[in-house]
Amino acid sequence: MPADTIGRFLAALDPDQREAVSGRPREEQERLAAAWERELESDEELDTLDELSPPAAEAEAARRVMTREA
């Protein structure tokens, strides 16, 4: 998985989550970033939000992924 995806995922997280995820092993970061991409691709609600504000859609997808992880 390209580091670019991990970087985009980390940028979409809130600062506290970003710090927590940055401290995790690389494999875990890749797994979370992949789940984030799947969330962005599969949710039609996020598609609509993405048309209005791509950063907001990415942040919402990141929030959902991290909520499932908790």
Side-chain angles (χ1 to χ4, degrees), residues 11-34:
L13 293 169
D14 70 44
D16 291 336
Q17 290 177 326
R18 185 178 310 122
E19 186 176 325
V21 172
S22 293
R24 294 183 183 187
R26 177 86 177 162
E27 290 176 355
E28 179 74 4
Q29 291 179 22
E30 290 174 351
R31 185 182 66 75
L32 290 169

Side-chain angles (χ1 to χ4, degrees), residues 10-65:
L10 290 173
L13 293 169
D14 70 44
D16 291 336
Q17 290 177 326
R18 185 178 310 122
E19 186 176 325
V21 172
S22 293
R24 294 183 183 187
R26 177 86 177 162
E27 290 176 355
E28 179 74 4
Q29 291 179 22
E30 290 174 351
R31 185 182 66 75
L32 290 169
W36 173 72
E37 283 203 320
R38 285 190 302 275
E39 185 75 24
L40 282 170
E41 292 171 358
S42 67
D43 192 301
E44 290 180 19
E45 198 175 281
L46 289 175
D47 285 344
T48 302
L49 180 58
D50 188 50
E51 290 178 17
L52 300 173
S53 174
E58 290 181 352
E60 176 60 19
R63 186 193 65 74
R64 292 176 184 183
V65 168

